[in-house]
Amino acid sequence: MESPRCLMPSFAKRTQFPASAESQKPRLKKAQEFPILEKQNWLIHLHYIRKDYEACKAVIKEQLQETQGLCEYAIYVQALIFRLEGNIQESLELFQTCAVLSPQCADNLKQVARSLFLLGKHKAAIEVYNEAAKLNQKDWEICHNLGVCYIYLKQFDKAHDQLHNALHLNRHDLTYIMLGKIHLLQGDLDKAIEIYKKAVEFSPENTELLTTLGLLYLQLGIYQKAFEHLGNALTYDPTNYKAILAAGSMMQTHGDFDVALTKYRVVACAVPESPPLWNNIGMCFFGKKKYVAAISCLKRANYLAPFDWKILYNLGLVHLTMQQYASAFHFVSAAINLQPKMGELFMLLAVALTNLEDPENARKAYAEAARLDRCNPLVNLNYAVLLYNQGERKGALAQFQEMEKKVRLLKDSPSLEFDAEMVEMAQKLGAALQVGEALVWTKPVKDTKSKHRSASASKAASLQQPLGSNQALGQAMSSAAAYRKLPSGAGGIAQPTKPSLPLEPEPTAGAQPTEAPAQIRETQE
Amino acid sequence: MAAASSSDSDSGRADSSEASSKWLDAHYDPMANIHTFSSCLALADLHGDGEYKLVVGDLGPSGQHPRLKVLKGPTVLTESPLPALPAAAATFLMEQHEPRTPALALASGPCVYVYKNLKPYFKFTLPQLPPNPLEQDLWNQVKEDRIDPLTLKEMLEGIREKAEVPLSVQSLRFLQLELSEMESFVSQHKSKSIKRQTVITTMTTLKKNLADEDAVSCLVLGTENKELLVLDPEAFTILAKMSLPSVPVFLEVSGQFDVEFRLAAACRNGNIYILRRDSKRPKYCIELSAQPVGLVRVHKVLVVGSNQDTLHGFTHKGKKLWTVQMPAAILTMNLLEQRSRSLQAVMAGLANGEVHIYHDKALLNVIRTPDVVTSLCFGRYGREDNTLIMTTRGGGLIIKILKRTAVFVEARGEAGPPPAQAMKLSVPRKTRLYVDQTLREREAGTAMHRTFQTDLYLLRLRAARAYVQALESSLNPVSVTAREPLKLHAVVQGLGPTFKLTLHLQNTSTARPILGLLVCFLYNEVLYALPRAFFKVPLLVPGLNYPLETFVESLSDKGISDIIKVLVLREGQSAPLLSAHINMPVSEGLEAA
């Protein structure tokens, strides 16, 4: 670093005061008293904290003129203001000047480091922070910022240590958030939850912490706790975007579409261009059987986020329901291009192809779906139905058995309810294939949807289509909603881990099975 | 944040209609020319006549011409210039005797000016700080001409690097000087003793030994050198001295000096330190991670406003109780104490021109003001007990009186759903055409799909064919053969008739150089002339860009341009590795004679 004399003129130029002319004056008078350097620091500070930067700059200028650039605090605040205005490089130079004026002050070094950090020079920032740490051992801020620098350098162990040191010195929400972030970056959800739990204990009203914790629980499928935390977040801040979206998606899962919609209105006002929001609204309408509105909303979501496969998936699903198979095909194939590793997408594609009278390709799609999928019995069931309808009893039987295997695996999880329609369909197919009455469906099945069925039965009957080859399958698959949230064994369809919360709700959240039973009955006759 | 503001302003709207019934507008003068901070406002019965006056340490319109103003009712009673900007004003009782008229203390620079009966009474100056002994020693040596200025400079710099005690202004100024100026500076100043003076940053009062309303109080000063001083009210001696880790900005005191007291100091490093009577150092520390903009004690809760637009409540042990988000930046804060109803609340002047009154977390009242309020003060004024005095950024003065019937009620529990919840979603409408198309798709979906697929395949086929053709005839400027991975692009410069044609040839393989390449130009010889239409390419080192220059002369004067083909060939092979078509520009220059 240069000597202060060399730096000072450069500063003088920047703030444009005639240092040379000024410096002549004091020496002419003999017994000139030196002004007190810190005379107006309090005023500078008061203006600064009130964000009255213009007044602040005026006082700083005056003060620097009077002290010929020796007033350290004035330079310090000037640098802070420069940084707030985005002139980071200039602020860095001024902070370095301050560090020269009083080399024993850790604050100056901290600010130098902070500016370096903002310039993206993390390594240099760490060096300066270490210097500062030598001057001030017990400063949480230094430890915290060191930790953050290490995160950016991807040295998570060191970051971890530093952040823990910071917490040890003094607890701050920000440190907890950063620690949680490290665990998330390392993919350790449980540890992240631990950290966030502690953080929420420490500051129970921080909505960001509450929301993040809620979302983490949601990701792990612990719905009770997730809802609790999200609800808490909403009590403190009823307009929290993330919390509303997450809570809304949970309501959708439970079929409370109207409640979810009212909640979404708040977000729609605050963040009208959020793709997940319009996706969720669309699926709410889908759940309420307002298909045209659903398509409108989903298309808006798709317009806002054209590369989000979940929205495309939902669009495909809604179009299948609307019997617009050609459109459905396009949306699903677009989704597959973006997310080629999901069995359900191929199944949807297969359903669309079946309806477009392309059984060859439908079979290929089913085969791919069955290959990719690990735990959704619906894939195999639909495949089996297709094979059965094409007269391939052997293949159908194999798929049926595969399905039974998956069902058995799934039965262990307590939160699971098999979709009534799927069970019925499976039983019918089982009978048709003359497989013994398999006792896999021991759980009582809720029959809540009978109303819709009877309503749509007549319409379906008029279509006269073979088993499973029409929209019935599309809708039957929609019961996949229940399975896609399986807490255990959901390895096949691992939720795409997105760093950017909030998570969208499960794409099929709003889907409702409809007229399938009527058609099954027909074909069974 | 936007959301918070909308919800707050909503409840505020409900309140402000009520507020019109809570406050009487006593006085508003937008041109009062008062520019000050809350810390420089004080209300006191200065003459002992039961008529409370307002004392304003006015900084002046642009921080110049500081004045002490005393207001009675809406008029300025007296006005006197001050030697320096006032940092704080306080009124306090100095002694027990009757008449018990309070004295006025004004902190400014290193001094506290004490007025009694509005007459200057005493000036207290902060004691000089001890200079660095090494520095003192050096200047003494200079005085005796034992060391020259250069040595002095070196030594002083050494002290600055290491010493705990900072240098005096004299030494700092000396260190700034050029070599030539040093002599005269030294001769001018060497006889002076070096001084270190600090200034007062904040001031408050602390009861001496009785908790009564009209008990004798001590002055508590916060100084720039990170100390807190408690002054004796009569003798103005320093009773106690405490040190802080940073410079105090706001002080809040409770208790009595002789019994037990608690001092909270919000400091420039964003921390609030809490000290007790017998602690020389802070006992508790609250780290805000933001700058405090105000500190008010309400009963036992410390309310802190931060510059991140939040209001926090802390216990006196530093535990966080609650946080409220403000709709705008907080500019100033002060205590509202309605003794008749024993209500204590916090007033916060916000940057959006509102004053919010909070009791703990609950918003009691919102006052809308015509200008942004920069200082606030509540108390007895004139003969009215509950008066709110506000000054604005533009220098205005607002006086409001709280109606005697007014009762502050906390906003009804939950704020209810945000207003946005009642708004209708704007779902895009679908046209008749859309519905028709949907129906058509339902009817003829399969056919549509098949036609589309057929066309798609045809399109792909054609694209593939064109691509293969391009590859086969090496029409592309990038060669992808394993042996000669090459890239070519050409630049034409000049206006004509002579152009400069530069071919940039690059070997894109990782390690292997390429040898034995040829470049050939194909062109219409009627239109163009090239000095060499065929030449060898030097060895191409991987990664480097080889510019190969050649001149092209346009022969036609009819403004015709043509394509020149560039072929890159391997020696002994007739098929080109790659080729480029260069669209020559029309010659604009005059024909060279």
Side-chain angles (χ1 to χ4, degrees):
Chain A
M1 208 172 282
E2 294 163 273
S3 84
R5 267 229 348 259
C6 302
L7 281 168
M8 219 48 73
S10 73
F11 175 70
K13 249 175 263 155
R14 204 169 302 113
T15 52
Q16 292 179 346
F17 65 83
S20 52
E22 276 299 311
S23 57
Q24 299 296 329
K25 251 193 266 169
R27 258 169 292 127
L28 297 177
K29 298 176 201 152
K30 181 96 191 171
Q32 160 91 29
E33 280 287 324
F34 292 108
I36 304 168
L37 293 182
E38 297 103 356
K39 203 170 64 181
Q40 291 190 342
N41 285 7
W42 63 273
L43 187 61
I44 294 172
H45 183 76
L46 279 183
H47 282 311
Y48 171 67
I49 57 176
R50 290 163 152 219
K51 306 185 182 171
D52 191 353
Y53 299 131
E54 286 315 308
C56 198
K57 278 186 195 163
V59 180
I60 288 171
K61 198 174 160 189
E62 185 190 331
Q63 187 67 0
L64 286 176
Q65 224 159 347
E66 194 172 346
T67 61
Q68 299 181 19
L70 277 177
C71 181
E72 181 197 338
Y73 190 70
I75 303 174
Y76 183 83
V77 175
Q78 176 78 64
L80 286 176
I81 295 175
F82 271 145
R83 194 159 70 192
L84 284 173
E85 289 171 343
N87 304 326
I88 298 170
Q89 189 61 44
E90 278 155 328
S91 88
L92 176 64
E93 283 161 22
L94 288 190
F95 282 129
Q96 280 168 341
T97 313
C98 288
V100 172
L101 279 175
S102 67
Q104 295 296 312
C105 180
D107 262 346
N108 290 334
L109 287 180
K110 264 155 69 177
Q111 298 298 351
V112 169
R114 175 88 192 143
S115 285
L116 284 171
F117 170 78
L118 289 174
L119 287 170
K121 297 174 180 168
H122 299 123
K123 269 190 194 146
I126 286 177
E127 272 170 36
V128 181
Y129 272 128
N130 281 331
E131 284 288 308
K134 276 181 209 156
L135 297 172
N136 188 353
Q137 300 279 341
K138 290 192 172 173
D139 192 336
W140 78 272
E141 198 186 333
I142 294 177
C143 292
H144 174 89
N145 286 334
L146 268 175
V148 178
C149 286
Y150 281 125
I151 293 181
Y152 279 99
L153 291 175
K154 303 231 182 317
Q155 302 178 355
F156 293 127
D157 289 339
K158 279 186 178 172
H160 196 261
D161 292 346
Q162 289 293 351
L163 290 174
H164 269 291
N165 284 346
L167 279 182
H168 195 68
L169 291 170
N170 209 327
R171 295 195 290 173
H172 280 266
D173 297 355
L174 210 56
T175 314
Y176 280 118
I177 291 174
M178 282 300 165
L179 255 182
K181 211 179 242 176
I182 295 183
H183 289 306
L184 286 180
L185 283 174
Q186 291 176 319
D188 196 340
L189 275 184
D190 290 320
K191 273 194 181 162
I193 283 186
E194 276 305 306
I195 295 290
Y196 278 109
K197 260 174 148 175
K198 275 189 212 158
V200 166
E201 233 167 77
F202 169 66
S203 71
E205 294 189 12
N206 187 324
T207 49
E208 191 184 339
L209 290 174
L210 285 168
T211 313
T212 316
L213 185 57
L215 288 171
L216 287 177
Y217 275 127
L218 192 63
Q219 232 168 323
L220 285 185
I222 307 171
Y223 299 115
Q224 191 60 38
K225 286 198 170 166
F227 205 75
E228 196 179 299
H229 286 106
L230 292 172
N232 278 345
L234 285 178
T235 0
Y236 294 120
D237 177 11
T239 52
N240 190 311
Y241 162 72
K242 278 188 197 172
I244 289 183
L245 222 52
S249 86
M250 291 180 74
M251 290 171 195
Q252 267 175 280
T253 325
H254 290 102
D256 296 338
F257 301 114
D258 289 312
V259 186
L261 270 178
T262 25
K263 289 284 160 209
Y264 289 146
R265 281 187 197 156
V266 181
V267 187
C269 211
V271 197
E273 299 207 334
S274 150
L277 168 76
W278 286 105
N279 176 57
N280 288 5
I281 292 178
M283 290 324 277
C284 270
F285 282 126
F286 182 59
K288 292 171 69 174
K289 308 215 180 312
K290 293 182 179 170
Y291 298 123
V292 177
I295 288 178
S296 296
C297 295
L298 286 171
K299 279 194 174 161
R300 177 178 286 183
N302 183 44
Y303 171 78
L304 295 168
F307 296 119
D308 189 336
W309 65 268
K310 286 183 181 177
I311 298 169
L312 290 165
Y313 179 113
N314 286 340
L315 270 169
L317 190 65
V318 181
H319 280 100
L320 276 185
T321 317
M322 290 287 279
Q323 302 170 33
Q324 290 173 267
Y325 303 112
S327 305
F329 173 82
H330 286 296
F331 288 118
V332 174
S333 67
I336 286 175
N337 276 327
L338 296 166
Q339 166 58 280
K341 293 219 156 51
M342 205 176 119
E344 272 104 336
L345 273 173
F346 282 98
M347 181 176 73
L348 278 192
L349 191 71
V351 173
L353 284 169
T354 315
N355 286 296
L356 290 168
E357 291 159 44
D358 190 355
E360 268 318 293
N361 284 320
R363 260 178 88 162
K364 280 182 196 157
Y366 270 130
E368 183 69 11
R371 191 180 69 78
L372 289 168
D373 188 77
R374 304 221 170 261
C375 66
N376 191 345
L378 213 52
V379 173
N380 304 93
L381 179 63
N382 280 338
Y383 194 8
V385 170
L386 176 87
L387 291 173
Y388 177 77
N389 282 335
Q390 291 198 303
E392 286 189 41
R393 288 181 66 95
K394 225 176 173 184
L397 199 61
Q399 287 304 322
F400 191 80
Q401 279 158 351
E402 189 67 25
M403 176 201 73
E404 282 184 328
K405 222 190 276 172
K406 285 182 181 174
V407 168
R408 258 183 227 111
L409 275 175
L410 292 176
K411 254 169 54 182
D412 302 331
S413 69
S415 63
L416 186 68
E417 270 178 31
F418 289 112
D419 186 80
E421 187 186 338
M422 187 183 110
V423 174
E424 210 169 314
M425 170 82 93
Q427 280 166 346
K428 297 249 160 87
L429 184 67
L433 288 170
Q434 287 155 5
V435 192
E437 184 68 19
L439 292 173
V440 285
W441 317 101
T442 42
K443 291 213 175 184
V445 166
K446 270 199 201 163
D447 203 336
T448 49
K449 290 126 194 168
S450 49
K451 240 203 267 173
H452 307 309
R453 274 177 216 152
S454 53
S456 49
S458 58
K459 184 176 126 210
S462 66
L463 288 170
Q464 299 284 340
Q465 280 171 333
L467 169 64
S469 64
N470 67 352
Q471 81 274 18
L473 280 178
Q475 285 130 18
M477 85 68 55
S478 64
S479 55
Y483 298 100
R484 300 216 35 243
K485 294 189 196 107
L486 291 178
S488 59
I493 334 148
Q495 266 292 315
T497 43
K498 285 189 172 183
S500 64
L501 301 162
L503 306 166
E504 294 100 309
E506 314 304 326
T508 51
Q512 289 275 331
T514 45
E515 54 270 78
Q519 288 150 23
I520 295 164
R521 228 170 286 130
E522 263 163 63
T523 44
Q524 293 297 315
E525 280 157 11
Chain B
M1 185 49 241
S5 84
S6 66
S7 74
D8 269 1
S9 65
D10 181 58
S11 58
R13 218 173 297 139
D15 276 5
S16 62
S17 56
E18 272 174 61
S20 56
S21 66
K22 271 191 188 125
W23 299 94
L24 290 172
D25 289 326
H27 178 65
Y28 173 49
D29 179 7
M31 309 297 280
N33 201 16
I34 294 177
H35 301 85
T36 188
F37 299 102
S38 294
S39 57
C40 293
L41 288 180
L43 288 165
D45 180 13
L46 292 173
H47 300 97
D49 54 1
E51 174 100 22
Y52 277 63
K53 318 283 185 309
L54 171 67
V55 180
V56 182
D58 188 359
L59 281 80
S62 55
Q64 260 96 45
H65 317 298
R67 287 173 168 274
L68 171 67
K69 289 178 179 168
V70 178
L71 280 86
K72 181 188 172 185
T75 50
V76 177
L77 201 64
T78 62
E79 193 173 334
S80 50
L82 289 172
L85 292 179
T91 55
F92 67 112
L93 272 174
M94 283 172 60
E95 68 262 299
Q96 295 286 4
H97 346 113
E98 300 289 333
R100 299 171 70 90
T101 50
L104 166 66
L106 212 69
S108 166
C111 308
V112 180
Y113 301 94
V114 182
Y115 294 77
K116 276 195 91 174
N117 256 328
L118 286 178
K119 304 255 163 37
Y121 173 77
F122 186 78
K123 176 181 165 187
F124 167 81
T125 309
L126 289 176
Q128 298 257 335
L129 301 176
N132 191 325
L134 287 170
E135 185 192 359
Q136 182 85 62
D137 204 41
L138 279 176
W139 281 100
N140 284 340
Q141 286 182 36
V142 173
K143 204 162 148 188
E144 292 153 27
D145 287 325
R146 278 189 293 166
I147 52 173
D148 61 4
L150 261 184
T151 336
L152 175 69
K153 183 182 155 100
E154 267 170 38
M155 306 280 268
L156 283 176
E157 259 166 8
I159 295 174
R160 179 160 76 177
E161 285 297 316
K162 301 202 180 63
E164 293 288 311
V165 184
L167 292 179
S168 67
V169 187
Q170 181 173 322
S171 306
L172 286 174
R173 187 60 64 78
F174 173 74
L175 285 180
Q176 263 194 313
L177 296 177
E178 296 292 334
L179 201 60
S180 55
E181 301 166 317
M182 284 181 185
E183 280 302 336
S184 60
F185 185 89
V186 169
S187 60
Q188 199 175 13
H189 294 281
K190 65 184 175 187
S191 54
K192 281 201 319 200
S193 61
I194 57 172
K195 285 187 211 159
R196 276 179 61 226
Q197 182 63 277
T198 185
V199 295
I200 299 168
T201 57
T202 174
M203 176 173 72
T204 187
T205 56
L206 165 64
K207 297 271 184 294
K208 182 87 164 54
N209 45 25
L210 285 171
D212 298 355
E213 183 70 32
D214 55 349
V216 173
S217 301
C218 311
L219 287 178
V220 183
L221 306 178
T223 66
E224 185 72 36
N225 68 330
K226 307 172 186 175
E227 279 183 333
L228 292 176
L229 307 175
V230 182
L231 299 187
D232 183 88
E234 276 176 284
F236 291 100
T237 50
I238 295 171
L239 291 176
K241 196 186 244 185
M242 290 158 273
S243 56
L244 290 170
S246 180
V247 184
V249 184
F250 302 104
L251 290 178
E252 189 61 62
V253 197
S254 64
Q256 296 110 51
F257 179 75
D258 288 341
V259 188
E260 170 63 42
F261 66 88
R262 235 180 263 279
L263 236 167
C267 293
R268 269 185 212 159
N269 60 358
N271 295 352
I272 294 162
Y273 298 98
I274 298 167
L275 302 101
R276 308 265 298 262
R277 178 178 149 79
D278 34 278
S279 55
K280 290 276 159 238
R281 307 224 121 243
K283 203 151 164 57
Y284 305 104
C285 169
I286 302 167
E287 291 189 355
L288 275 186
S289 53
Q291 285 290 349
V293 288
L295 178 68
V296 174
R297 185 181 51 85
V298 181
H299 299 297
K300 284 197 161 176
V301 180
L302 274 177
V303 182
V304 185
S306 86
N307 67 347
Q308 291 175 339
D309 307 353
T310 48
L311 207 61
H312 307 277
F314 292 94
T315 64
H316 55 261
K317 285 193 176 163
K319 192 174 179 301
K320 194 194 262 182
L321 294 174
W322 46 262
T323 301
V324 187
Q325 188 73 33
M326 295 281 142
I330 303 171
L331 295 185
T332 186
M333 285 166 61
N334 215 333
L335 179 73
L336 180 148
E337 189 173 17
Q338 194 185 7
R339 292 221 174 79
S340 54
R341 297 187 199 275
S342 60
L343 170 87
Q344 285 197 339
V346 175
M347 307 178 287
L350 305 183
N352 61 356
E354 290 178 342
V355 175
H356 285 212
I357 300 172
Y358 281 90
H359 181 255
D360 280 353
K361 280 184 75 172
L363 179 66
L364 295 182
N365 193 227
V366 176
I367 303 169
R368 266 152 229 276
T369 51
D371 193 4
V372 177
V373 169
T374 50
S375 74
L376 282 166
C377 168
F378 184 90
R380 190 178 163 91
Y381 186 48
R383 295 187 183 276
E384 188 53 54
D385 263 332
N386 299 313
T387 313
L388 173 63
I389 292 159
M390 301 180 274
T391 69
T392 64
R393 179 168 280 167
L397 173 71
I398 304 169
I399 302 175
K400 283 178 187 284
I401 295 172
L402 186 66
K403 282 190 181 171
R404 292 181 189 174
T405 54
V407 183
F408 288 115
V409 275
E410 293 185 9
R412 323 138 269 282
E414 289 299 294
Q421 195 160 312
M423 266 152 70
K424 223 171 162 265
L425 281 173
S426 65
V427 178
R429 298 257 158 253
K430 287 292 176 201
T431 56
R432 180 76 226 160
L433 184 68
Y434 170 80
V435 178
D436 289 348
Q437 291 297 326
T438 310
L439 290 176
R440 199 173 84 82
E441 189 188 337
R442 272 193 205 177
E443 277 160 21
T446 314
M448 284 161 98
H449 178 69
R450 285 198 180 137
T451 318
F452 181 83
Q453 289 297 329
T454 316
D455 288 351
L456 186 64
Y457 281 126
L458 283 176
L459 180 71
R460 282 182 183 154
L461 182 65
R462 287 182 70 174
R465 272 189 188 143
Y467 185 57
V468 167
Q469 203 189 349
L471 280 182
E472 275 174 353
S473 54
S474 299
L475 280 173
N476 53 329
V478 179
S479 155
V480 284
T481 51
R483 280 193 62 206
E484 290 99 3
L486 283 174
K487 220 164 87 177
L488 170 76
H489 79 106
V491 179
V492 181
Q493 289 168 315
L495 294 171
T498 309
F499 297 97
K500 187 159 108 179
L501 174 62
T502 315
L503 297 175
H504 292 274
L505 205 55
Q506 194 182 2
N507 175 1
T508 52
S509 78
T510 47
R512 215 150 45 96
I514 298 177
L515 197 63
L517 292 183
L518 303 162
V519 167
C520 171
F521 294 101
L522 295 180
Y523 56 94
N524 187 342
E525 285 179 26
V526 181
L527 291 175
Y528 294 109
L530 271 78
R532 280 188 306 163
F534 183 76
F535 58 87
K536 275 193 173 184
V537 176
L539 178 132
L540 297 182
V541 174
L544 291 185
N545 189 6
Y546 287 85
L548 308 169
E549 290 173 3
T550 183
F551 288 98
V552 178
E553 191 145 353
S554 172
L555 302 176
S556 157
D557 55 353
K558 297 191 178 71
I560 311 167
S561 68
D562 195 23
I563 289 173
I564 295 182
K565 287 183 190 170
V566 186
L567 303 177
V568 180
L569 304 135
R570 164 155 288 279
E571 232 169 325
Q573 277 181 6
S574 57
L577 293 170
L578 44 88
S579 63
H581 290 205
I582 300 159
N583 286 313
M584 291 302 290
V586 177
S587 165
E588 286 174 27
L590 291 171
E591 208 161 304

